[in-house]
Amino acid sequence: MVNEGVGRLLIVDDEVNVARVLGSFFTRSGWEVRVHNSPAAALDDSFSGEADVVLTDLSMPEMTGVELMQRLQDRTPPGANPAPVLLITAYGTIDNAVQALKQGAFDYLTKPFDLEKVKAAVQRAYLKRQVANPAAAPAATTAVPRAKLGTMIGAGAAMQEIYRSIERAAKSRANVLILGESGTGKELVARALHQTGPRSARRFVAVSCAALPSELLESELFGHEKGSFTGAANQRIGRFELADGGTLFLDEIGDISLGVQAKLMRVLQEREVDRVGGQKPIKVDVRLVAATNRDLVEAIGKSEFREDLYYRLRVVVIQMPTLRDRKEDIPLLATHFLDKFAKRDGRSFTGLTSGAMEMLEAHSWPGNVRELENAIEHSVALAADEVREIGTELLPPHVTGRDAIQFQRAPLPAALDETERRMVLAALEESQWDLSRAAVALGVTQGRLRHSIRRHHLSGDRRGFSVV
């Protein structure tokens, strides 16, 4: 699960008892909390400029929660991300809260509220801020794990060890071999090694060794002279030369032929390349990083990979964990991908529902982080314009466990009816039959939702649901 209770929380509510209950609850959860019953007093407190999340009442006589949010945003230094603001509102002012979302609020919570749901919403806001601005996390406490390095996301123990390995290895020019299943982020590690090390000002050149046949890969890596073979109409500079002074990343190195392996071995020994058809070797200064999802020891036993090359490559080894071995990072990754695709598509979401997050954490993720990224992109693409939160009904069928409908085997009207029934039922289940929340999740009016419930013969209550 997500690492909880590590942020700074500002609570502002003119109702003394409400503020006291919230402050006590989050303090027990490990948060650094400051509570104020006056927005003006909160603004006078220097803590307001250091908070990671702000939880404030929407309707206060002195100043509204939206006005407080705007004042805090105005104080944010240029280039920094303002602390996300969650609004507490009564049922009768939900329309004002929805309007506040358009003005930049992260989410709203209705009274009476469930403390665990409040904590989940605060944690989502905190995770989003960590990804957007990891430096905002308190530097003085050892309880705060690093949330990212380069473009890698993850705060769990496995990723902390990966970050430490990268930072240690980046200072050296030693070859690095990155091992791990497909989709675990091996190229991200290679890029982080380059960006963290002394060669960051020079080129990072990546080559997918499995994408090219042997003869083309040789030319791609080492270059060729004009006329050196049929089709060589011009001189070509190889990737080793292009990466001179920088880093060369050879992905899927376990798939290269023995002939290319022999030439690669010579380059690593002599630190010079011979272009195909060339007359003299060319000196190169390249930091080599290689990656594979193959078992190279097994490949050596089958005479498919050179043992001497294997030991040349594996001076430093970084083993990438699978996503199923770092499930504590799923909320952080999902929040990051949701923000990424929302920005790309010009959308705005408050996060994922607790039910959706539970399904993501329960899935085995054979495709690792890449599969999770695709699942979130799928959800964003299918979300109606009015939807602000990703629920279970928007997740891919293979994640939720619901079988995909075989449209080619059913008449279109029947297939569409079944799709509607499943989406309505999932939204009702997620909201515990709160028609207002279910309608918002589906992007329809409550009247339209009631019509769908009657048409599909659905019934239920807050204790559960059934199909009749």
Coordinates of all heavy atoms in Angstrom, one line a residue, residues 184-268:
T184 N 9.5 -3.2 -17.5 CA 9.8 -2.8 -16.1 C 10.6 -1.5 -16.1 O 10.8 -0.9 -15.0 CB 10.7 -3.9 -15.4 OG1 11.8 -4.2 -16.3 CG2 9.9 -5.1 -15.1
G185 N 10.9 -0.9 -17.2 CA 11.6 0.4 -17.2 C 13.1 0.4 -17.4 O 13.7 1.2 -16.8
K186 N 13.6 -0.6 -18.1 CA 15.1 -0.7 -18.2 C 15.7 0.5 -18.9 O 16.7 1.0 -18.5 CB 15.4 -2.0 -18.9 CG 15.0 -3.3 -18.1 CD 15.5 -4.6 -18.8 CE 14.8 -4.9 -20.1 NZ 13.3 -5.2 -19.9
E187 N 15.0 1.0 -20.0 CA 15.6 2.2 -20.7 C 15.5 3.4 -19.8 O 16.4 4.3 -19.8 CB 14.8 2.4 -22.0 CG 15.4 3.6 -22.7 CD 14.9 3.8 -24.1 OE1 14.3 2.8 -24.7 OE2 15.1 4.9 -24.7
L188 N 14.5 3.5 -18.9 CA 14.5 4.6 -18.0 C 15.7 4.6 -17.0 O 16.2 5.7 -16.7 CB 13.2 4.6 -17.1 CG 11.9 4.7 -17.9 CD1 10.7 4.7 -17.0 CD2 11.9 5.8 -18.9
V189 N 16.1 3.4 -16.6 CA 17.3 3.3 -15.8 C 18.5 3.8 -16.6 O 19.4 4.5 -16.0 CB 17.5 1.8 -15.3 CG1 18.8 1.7 -14.6 CG2 16.4 1.4 -14.4
A190 N 18.6 3.3 -17.8 CA 19.8 3.7 -18.6 C 19.8 5.3 -18.8 O 20.9 5.9 -18.7 CB 19.7 3.1 -20.0
R191 N 18.7 5.9 -19.0 CA 18.7 7.3 -19.2 C 19.0 8.0 -17.9 O 19.7 9.1 -17.8 CB 17.3 7.8 -19.7 CG 17.0 7.4 -21.1 CD 15.7 7.9 -21.6 NE 15.4 7.5 -23.0 CZ 15.9 8.1 -24.0 NH1 16.7 9.2 -23.9 NH2 15.7 7.7 -25.3
A192 N 18.6 7.5 -16.7 CA 18.9 8.0 -15.4 C 20.4 7.9 -15.2 O 21.0 8.9 -14.6 CB 18.1 7.4 -14.3
L193 N 21.0 6.8 -15.5 CA 22.5 6.7 -15.4 C 23.2 7.8 -16.2 O 24.2 8.3 -15.7 CB 22.9 5.3 -15.9 CG 22.7 4.1 -15.0 CD1 22.8 2.8 -15.8 CD2 23.6 4.1 -13.8
H194 N 22.7 8.0 -17.4 CA 23.3 9.1 -18.2 C 23.1 10.5 -17.6 O 24.1 11.2 -17.5 CB 22.8 9.0 -19.6 CG 23.3 10.1 -20.5 ND1 24.5 10.1 -21.0 CD2 22.6 11.2 -21.0 CE1 24.7 11.2 -21.8 NE2 23.5 11.9 -21.8
Q195 N 21.9 10.7 -17.2 CA 21.6 12.1 -16.7 C 22.2 12.4 -15.4 O 22.5 13.6 -15.1 CB 20.0 12.2 -16.7 CG 19.4 12.2 -18.0 CD 17.9 11.9 -18.0 OE1 17.3 11.7 -16.9 NE2 17.2 11.8 -19.1
T196 N 22.4 11.4 -14.6 CA 23.0 11.6 -13.2 C 24.5 11.6 -13.3 O 25.1 12.1 -12.3 CB 22.5 10.4 -12.3 OG1 21.1 10.3 -12.4 CG2 22.8 10.7 -10.9
G197 N 25.1 11.1 -14.3 CA 26.6 11.0 -14.4 C 27.2 12.2 -15.0 O 26.6 13.2 -15.5
P198 N 28.6 12.2 -15.1 CA 29.3 13.3 -15.7 C 29.2 13.4 -17.2 O 29.7 14.4 -17.8 CB 30.8 12.9 -15.3 CG 30.8 11.4 -15.1 CD 29.4 11.1 -14.6
R199 N 28.6 12.5 -17.9 CA 28.4 12.6 -19.3 C 27.1 13.2 -19.8 O 26.7 13.1 -20.9 CB 28.5 11.2 -20.0 CG 29.9 10.5 -19.8 CD 29.9 9.1 -20.2 NE 31.3 8.5 -20.0 CZ 32.2 8.4 -21.0 NH1 31.8 8.6 -22.3 NH2 33.4 7.9 -20.8
S200 N 26.3 13.7 -18.8 CA 25.0 14.2 -19.1 C 24.9 15.3 -20.2 O 23.9 15.4 -20.8 CB 24.3 14.7 -17.8 OG 25.0 15.7 -17.2
A201 N 26.0 16.0 -20.3 CA 26.0 17.1 -21.3 C 26.2 16.6 -22.7 O 25.9 17.3 -23.7 CB 27.0 18.1 -21.0
R202 N 26.6 15.3 -22.9 CA 26.8 14.7 -24.2 C 25.6 13.8 -24.6 O 24.6 13.7 -23.8 CB 28.1 13.9 -24.2 CG 29.3 14.7 -23.7 CD 29.6 15.9 -24.6 NE 30.0 15.5 -26.0 CZ 31.3 15.3 -26.3 NH1 32.2 15.4 -25.4 NH2 31.6 15.0 -27.5
R203 N 25.7 13.1 -25.7 CA 24.6 12.4 -26.2 C 24.2 11.1 -25.5 O 25.1 10.4 -25.0 CB 24.8 12.0 -27.7 CG 24.6 13.2 -28.7 CD 24.8 12.7 -30.1 NE 24.6 13.8 -31.1 CZ 24.7 13.6 -32.4 NH1 25.1 12.5 -32.8 NH2 24.4 14.6 -33.2
F204 N 23.0 10.8 -25.4 CA 22.5 9.5 -25.0 C 21.9 8.9 -26.3 O 21.0 9.4 -26.9 CB 21.4 9.6 -24.0 CG 20.8 8.3 -23.6 CD1 21.3 7.5 -22.6 CD2 19.6 7.8 -24.2 CE1 20.7 6.3 -22.2 CE2 19.0 6.6 -23.9 CZ 19.6 5.8 -22.9
V205 N 22.5 7.7 -26.7 CA 22.1 7.1 -28.0 C 21.5 5.7 -27.6 O 22.2 4.9 -27.0 CB 23.2 7.0 -29.0 CG1 22.8 6.3 -30.2 CG2 23.8 8.4 -29.3
A206 N 20.3 5.4 -28.1 CA 19.6 4.1 -27.8 C 19.5 3.3 -29.1 O 19.1 3.9 -30.1 CB 18.3 4.4 -27.1
V207 N 19.7 2.0 -29.0 CA 19.5 1.1 -30.1 C 18.8 -0.1 -29.6 O 19.1 -0.7 -28.6 CB 20.9 0.7 -30.7 CG1 20.6 -0.3 -31.9 CG2 21.7 1.8 -31.1
S208 N 17.7 -0.5 -30.3 CA 17.0 -1.7 -30.0 C 17.6 -2.8 -30.9 O 17.3 -2.9 -32.1 CB 15.5 -1.5 -30.3 OG 14.8 -2.8 -30.1
C209 N 18.3 -3.7 -30.3 CA 19.1 -4.7 -31.0 C 18.1 -5.7 -31.7 O 18.5 -6.3 -32.7 CB 20.1 -5.4 -30.1 SG 21.3 -4.3 -29.4
A210 N 17.0 -5.9 -31.1 CA 16.1 -6.9 -31.7 C 15.3 -6.4 -32.9 O 14.7 -7.2 -33.6 CB 15.1 -7.4 -30.6
A211 N 15.3 -5.1 -33.1 CA 14.5 -4.5 -34.2 C 15.2 -4.6 -35.5 O 14.5 -4.4 -36.5 CB 14.3 -3.0 -33.8
L212 N 16.5 -5.0 -35.6 CA 17.2 -5.0 -36.9 C 17.8 -6.4 -37.1 O 18.3 -7.0 -36.2 CB 18.3 -4.0 -36.8 CG 17.8 -2.5 -36.7 CD1 19.1 -1.6 -36.5 CD2 17.1 -2.1 -38.0
P213 N 17.8 -6.9 -38.4 CA 18.6 -8.1 -38.7 C 20.1 -7.9 -38.5 O 20.5 -6.7 -38.4 CB 18.2 -8.3 -40.2 CG 17.8 -7.0 -40.7 CD 17.1 -6.3 -39.5
S214 N 20.8 -8.9 -38.4 CA 22.2 -8.9 -38.0 C 23.0 -8.0 -38.9 O 23.8 -7.1 -38.4 CB 22.8 -10.3 -38.0 OG 24.2 -10.3 -37.7
E215 N 22.9 -8.1 -40.2 CA 23.7 -7.3 -41.1 C 23.4 -5.8 -41.0 O 24.3 -4.9 -41.1 CB 23.6 -7.7 -42.6 CG 22.2 -7.6 -43.1 CD 21.3 -8.8 -42.8 OE1 21.7 -9.7 -42.0 OE2 20.2 -8.9 -43.4
L216 N 22.1 -5.4 -40.7 CA 21.8 -4.0 -40.6 C 22.2 -3.5 -39.2 O 22.6 -2.3 -39.1 CB 20.3 -3.8 -40.8 CG 19.8 -4.0 -42.2 CD1 18.3 -3.7 -42.2 CD2 20.5 -3.1 -43.2
L217 N 22.1 -4.4 -38.2 CA 22.6 -3.9 -36.9 C 24.0 -3.6 -36.8 O 24.5 -2.7 -36.2 CB 22.2 -5.0 -35.9 CG 22.6 -4.8 -34.4 CD1 21.9 -3.5 -33.9 CD2 22.4 -6.0 -33.5
E218 N 24.9 -4.4 -37.5 CA 26.3 -4.2 -37.6 C 26.6 -2.8 -38.2 O 27.4 -2.0 -37.6 CB 27.0 -5.3 -38.4 CG 28.5 -5.1 -38.5 CD 29.2 -6.3 -39.2 OE1 28.4 -7.2 -39.6 OE2 30.4 -6.1 -39.5
S219 N 25.9 -2.5 -39.3 CA 26.1 -1.2 -39.9 C 25.6 -0.1 -39.0 O 26.2 1.0 -38.9 CB 25.4 -1.1 -41.2 OG 25.5 0.2 -41.8
E220 N 24.5 -0.3 -38.3 CA 23.9 0.7 -37.4 C 24.9 1.0 -36.2 O 25.0 2.2 -35.9 CB 22.6 0.1 -36.8 CG 21.8 1.1 -36.0 CD 21.1 2.2 -36.9 OE1 21.0 2.0 -38.1 OE2 20.7 3.2 -36.3
L221 N 25.5 0.0 -35.7 CA 26.4 0.2 -34.5 C 27.7 0.7 -34.9 O 28.2 1.7 -34.3 CB 26.6 -1.2 -33.8 CG 25.4 -1.7 -33.1 CD1 25.7 -3.1 -32.4 CD2 24.8 -0.8 -32.0
F222 N 28.3 0.2 -36.0 CA 29.7 0.5 -36.3 C 29.9 1.4 -37.5 O 31.0 1.9 -37.7 CB 30.5 -0.8 -36.5 CG 30.3 -1.8 -35.4 CD1 29.7 -3.0 -35.7 CD2 30.6 -1.5 -34.1 CE1 29.5 -4.0 -34.7 CE2 30.4 -2.4 -33.1 CZ 29.8 -3.7 -33.4
G223 N 28.8 1.6 -38.3 CA 28.9 2.5 -39.4 C 29.4 1.8 -40.6 O 29.9 0.6 -40.5
H224 N 29.4 2.4 -41.8 CA 30.0 1.8 -43.0 C 30.5 2.9 -44.0 O 30.0 4.1 -43.9 CB 29.0 0.9 -43.7 CG 27.8 1.6 -44.2 ND1 26.5 1.5 -43.7 CD2 27.6 2.5 -45.3 CE1 25.6 2.2 -44.4 NE2 26.3 2.8 -45.3
E225 N 31.4 2.5 -44.8 CA 31.9 3.5 -45.8 C 31.0 3.4 -47.1 O 30.4 2.3 -47.4 CB 33.3 3.1 -46.2 CG 34.3 3.3 -45.0 CD 34.5 4.7 -44.5 OE1 34.0 5.7 -45.2 OE2 35.0 4.9 -43.5
K226 N 31.1 4.4 -47.9 CA 30.3 4.4 -49.2 C 30.8 3.3 -50.0 O 32.0 3.1 -50.2 CB 30.5 5.7 -49.8 CG 29.8 5.9 -51.2 CD 30.1 7.2 -51.8 CE 29.4 7.4 -53.1 NZ 29.6 8.7 -53.7
G227 N 29.9 2.5 -50.6 CA 30.2 1.4 -51.5 C 30.8 0.2 -50.9 O 31.2 -0.8 -51.5
S228 N 30.7 0.1 -49.5 CA 31.2 -1.1 -48.8 C 30.4 -2.4 -49.1 O 30.9 -3.5 -48.9 CB 31.4 -0.8 -47.3 OG 30.1 -0.4 -46.8
F229 N 29.1 -2.2 -49.4 CA 28.3 -3.3 -49.8 C 27.1 -2.8 -50.6 O 26.9 -1.6 -50.8 CB 27.7 -4.0 -48.5 CG 27.0 -3.1 -47.6 CD1 25.6 -2.8 -47.7 CD2 27.7 -2.5 -46.5 CE1 25.0 -2.0 -46.8 CE2 27.0 -1.7 -45.6 CZ 25.7 -1.4 -45.8
T230 N 26.4 -3.7 -51.3 CA 25.3 -3.3 -52.1 C 24.3 -2.5 -51.3 O 23.8 -2.9 -50.3 CB 24.6 -4.5 -52.7 OG1 25.6 -5.3 -53.4 CG2 23.5 -4.1 -53.7
G231 N 24.0 -1.3 -51.9 CA 23.1 -0.4 -51.2 C 23.7 0.6 -50.3 O 23.0 1.6 -49.8
A232 N 25.0 0.5 -50.1 CA 25.7 1.5 -49.3 C 26.1 2.7 -50.2 O 27.3 2.9 -50.6 CB 27.0 0.9 -48.7
A233 N 25.1 3.5 -50.5 CA 25.3 4.7 -51.4 C 26.1 5.8 -50.8 O 26.7 6.6 -51.5 CB 24.0 5.2 -51.9
N234 N 26.0 5.9 -49.4 CA 26.7 7.0 -48.7 C 27.4 6.4 -47.5 O 27.1 5.3 -47.0 CB 25.7 8.1 -48.3 CG 25.0 8.7 -49.5 OD1 25.6 9.4 -50.3 ND2 23.7 8.4 -49.6
Q235 N 28.4 7.2 -47.0 CA 29.0 6.9 -45.7 C 28.0 7.0 -44.6 O 27.1 7.9 -44.6 CB 30.2 7.8 -45.5 CG 31.0 7.5 -44.2 CD 32.0 8.6 -43.9 OE1 31.6 9.7 -43.5 NE2 33.3 8.3 -44.1
R236 N 28.1 6.1 -43.6 CA 27.2 6.1 -42.5 C 28.0 6.1 -41.2 O 28.9 5.3 -41.0 CB 26.2 5.0 -42.5 CG 25.2 5.0 -41.3 CD 24.3 3.8 -41.3 NE 23.3 3.8 -40.2 CZ 22.2 4.5 -40.2 NH1 21.9 5.2 -41.3 NH2 21.4 4.5 -39.2
I237 N 27.7 7.1 -40.3 CA 28.4 7.2 -39.0 C 27.6 6.2 -38.1 O 26.4 6.3 -37.9 CB 28.3 8.6 -38.4 CG1 29.0 9.5 -39.4 CG2 29.0 8.6 -37.1 CD1 30.5 9.2 -39.7
G238 N 28.3 5.3 -37.4 CA 27.6 4.3 -36.5 C 27.3 5.0 -35.2 O 27.7 6.1 -34.8
R239 N 26.4 4.2 -34.4 CA 25.9 4.7 -33.2 C 27.1 4.9 -32.1 O 27.0 5.7 -31.3 CB 24.9 3.8 -32.6 CG 23.6 3.7 -33.5 CD 23.0 5.1 -33.7 NE 21.8 5.0 -34.5 CZ 20.5 4.9 -34.0 NH1 20.4 4.9 -32.7 NH2 19.5 4.9 -34.8
F240 N 28.1 4.0 -32.2 CA 29.2 4.2 -31.3 C 29.9 5.6 -31.5 O 30.2 6.2 -30.5 CB 30.3 3.1 -31.5 CG 30.0 1.9 -30.6 CD1 29.4 0.8 -31.1 CD2 30.5 1.9 -29.3 CE1 29.1 -0.3 -30.2 CE2 30.3 0.8 -28.5 CZ 29.6 -0.3 -28.9
E241 N 30.1 6.0 -32.7 CA 30.7 7.3 -33.0 C 29.7 8.4 -32.6 O 30.2 9.4 -32.1 CB 31.0 7.4 -34.5 CG 32.2 6.5 -35.0 CD 32.5 6.7 -36.4 OE1 33.0 7.7 -36.8 OE2 32.2 5.8 -37.2
L242 N 28.4 8.2 -32.8 CA 27.5 9.3 -32.5 C 27.5 9.5 -31.0 O 27.2 10.6 -30.5 CB 26.1 8.9 -32.9 CG 25.8 9.0 -34.4 CD1 24.4 8.4 -34.8 CD2 26.0 10.4 -34.9
A243 N 27.7 8.4 -30.2 CA 27.7 8.5 -28.8 C 29.0 8.8 -28.1 O 29.2 8.8 -26.9 CB 27.2 7.1 -28.2
D244 N 30.0 9.1 -28.9 CA 31.3 9.4 -28.4 C 31.3 10.5 -27.4 O 30.7 11.6 -27.6 CB 32.2 9.9 -29.6 CG 33.7 10.0 -29.2 OD1 34.1 9.2 -28.3 OD2 34.4 10.9 -29.6
G245 N 31.8 10.2 -26.2 CA 31.8 11.2 -25.1 C 30.5 11.0 -24.2 O 30.5 11.6 -23.1
G246 N 29.6 10.2 -24.7 CA 28.3 10.1 -24.0 C 28.0 8.7 -23.6 O 28.9 7.9 -23.3
T247 N 26.8 8.3 -23.8 CA 26.3 7.0 -23.4 C 25.6 6.2 -24.5 O 24.8 6.8 -25.2 CB 25.3 7.1 -22.2 OG1 26.0 7.7 -21.1 CG2 24.9 5.7 -21.7
L248 N 25.9 5.0 -24.7 CA 25.3 4.1 -25.7 C 24.5 3.1 -25.0 O 25.0 2.3 -24.2 CB 26.3 3.5 -26.7 CG 25.7 2.5 -27.7 CD1 24.8 3.3 -28.7 CD2 26.8 1.8 -28.5
F249 N 23.2 3.0 -25.3 CA 22.3 2.0 -24.6 C 21.9 1.0 -25.7 O 21.3 1.3 -26.7 CB 21.0 2.7 -24.1 CG 20.0 1.8 -23.5 CD1 20.3 0.9 -22.6 CD2 18.7 1.8 -24.0 CE1 19.4 0.0 -22.1 CE2 17.7 0.9 -23.5 CZ 18.1 0.0 -22.5
L250 N 22.3 -0.2 -25.4 CA 21.9 -1.4 -26.3 C 20.8 -2.2 -25.6 O 21.1 -3.0 -24.7 CB 23.1 -2.2 -26.6 CG 24.3 -1.5 -27.2 CD1 25.4 -2.5 -27.5 CD2 23.9 -0.8 -28.5
D251 N 19.6 -2.0 -26.1 CA 18.4 -2.7 -25.5 C 18.3 -4.0 -26.2 O 18.6 -4.2 -27.4 CB 17.2 -1.9 -25.7 CG 16.0 -2.3 -24.9 OD1 16.3 -3.1 -23.9 OD2 14.9 -1.9 -25.1
E252 N 17.8 -5.0 -25.4 CA 17.6 -6.4 -25.9 C 18.9 -7.0 -26.5 O 19.0 -7.6 -27.6 CB 16.5 -6.4 -26.9 CG 15.2 -5.9 -26.4 CD 14.1 -5.9 -27.4 OE1 14.0 -4.9 -28.1 OE2 13.3 -6.9 -27.5
I253 N 20.0 -6.8 -25.8 CA 21.3 -7.2 -26.2 C 21.4 -8.7 -26.3 O 22.2 -9.3 -27.1 CB 22.4 -6.7 -25.4 CG1 23.8 -6.8 -26.1 CG2 22.5 -7.4 -24.0 CD1 24.9 -6.0 -25.5
G254 N 20.5 -9.5 -25.6 CA 20.6 -10.9 -25.7 C 20.1 -11.5 -27.0 O 20.3 -12.7 -27.3
D255 N 19.6 -10.6 -27.9 CA 19.1 -11.1 -29.2 C 20.1 -10.9 -30.4 O 19.8 -11.1 -31.5 CB 17.8 -10.3 -29.6 CG 16.7 -10.7 -28.6 OD1 16.7 -11.8 -28.0 OD2 15.8 -9.9 -28.4
I256 N 21.3 -10.3 -30.1 CA 22.2 -10.1 -31.2 C 23.0 -11.3 -31.6 O 23.2 -12.3 -30.8 CB 23.3 -9.0 -30.8 CG1 24.2 -9.4 -29.7 CG2 22.5 -7.7 -30.5 CD1 25.2 -8.4 -29.3
S257 N 23.4 -11.4 -32.8 CA 24.0 -12.6 -33.4 C 25.4 -12.8 -32.8 O 26.0 -11.8 -32.3 CB 24.1 -12.5 -34.9 OG 25.0 -11.5 -35.3
L258 N 26.0 -14.0 -32.9 CA 27.4 -14.2 -32.5 C 28.4 -13.4 -33.2 O 29.4 -13.0 -32.6 CB 27.7 -15.7 -32.6 CG 26.9 -16.6 -31.6 CD1 27.2 -18.1 -32.0 CD2 27.4 -16.3 -30.2
G259 N 28.1 -13.1 -34.5 CA 29.0 -12.3 -35.3 C 29.1 -10.9 -34.8 O 30.2 -10.3 -34.6
V260 N 28.0 -10.3 -34.5 CA 28.0 -8.9 -34.0 C 28.5 -8.9 -32.6 O 29.2 -8.0 -32.1 CB 26.5 -8.4 -34.0 CG1 26.5 -7.0 -33.3 CG2 26.0 -8.3 -35.4
Q261 N 28.3 -10.0 -31.8 CA 28.8 -10.1 -30.4 C 30.4 -10.0 -30.5 O 31.0 -9.4 -29.7 CB 28.4 -11.4 -29.8 CG 27.0 -11.4 -29.4 CD 26.6 -12.8 -28.8 OE1 27.4 -13.3 -28.0 NE2 25.4 -13.3 -29.1
A262 N 31.0 -10.7 -31.5 CA 32.4 -10.7 -31.6 C 33.0 -9.3 -31.9 O 34.0 -8.9 -31.3 CB 32.9 -11.7 -32.7
K263 N 32.3 -8.6 -32.8 CA 32.7 -7.2 -33.1 C 32.5 -6.3 -31.9 O 33.3 -5.4 -31.6 CB 32.0 -6.6 -34.3 CG 32.3 -7.3 -35.6 CD 32.0 -6.5 -36.8 CE 32.9 -5.3 -36.9 NZ 32.7 -4.5 -38.2
L264 N 31.4 -6.5 -31.2 CA 31.2 -5.7 -30.0 C 32.2 -5.9 -28.9 O 32.7 -5.0 -28.2 CB 29.8 -6.0 -29.4 CG 29.3 -5.3 -28.2 CD1 29.3 -3.8 -28.4 CD2 27.9 -5.7 -27.8
M265 N 32.6 -7.2 -28.8 CA 33.7 -7.5 -27.8 C 35.0 -6.8 -28.1 O 35.6 -6.3 -27.2 CB 33.9 -9.0 -27.8 CG 34.9 -9.5 -26.8 SD 34.3 -9.3 -25.1 CE 35.8 -9.7 -24.2
R266 N 35.3 -6.7 -29.4 CA 36.5 -6.0 -29.8 C 36.5 -4.5 -29.4 O 37.4 -3.9 -29.0 CB 36.8 -6.2 -31.2 CG 38.1 -5.6 -31.7 CD 38.4 -5.8 -33.2 NE 39.7 -5.2 -33.5 CZ 39.9 -3.9 -33.7 NH1 38.9 -3.0 -33.5 NH2 41.1 -3.4 -33.9
V267 N 35.3 -3.9 -29.7 CA 35.1 -2.5 -29.4 C 35.3 -2.2 -27.9 O 36.0 -1.3 -27.5 CB 33.7 -2.0 -29.8 CG1 33.5 -0.6 -29.4 CG2 33.6 -2.1 -31.3
L268 N 34.8 -3.1 -27.1 CA 34.9 -2.9 -25.6 C 36.3 -3.1 -25.1 O 36.7 -2.5 -24.2 CB 33.9 -3.9 -24.9 CG 32.4 -3.7 -25.1 CD1 31.6 -4.7 -24.4 CD2 32.0 -2.3 -24.7

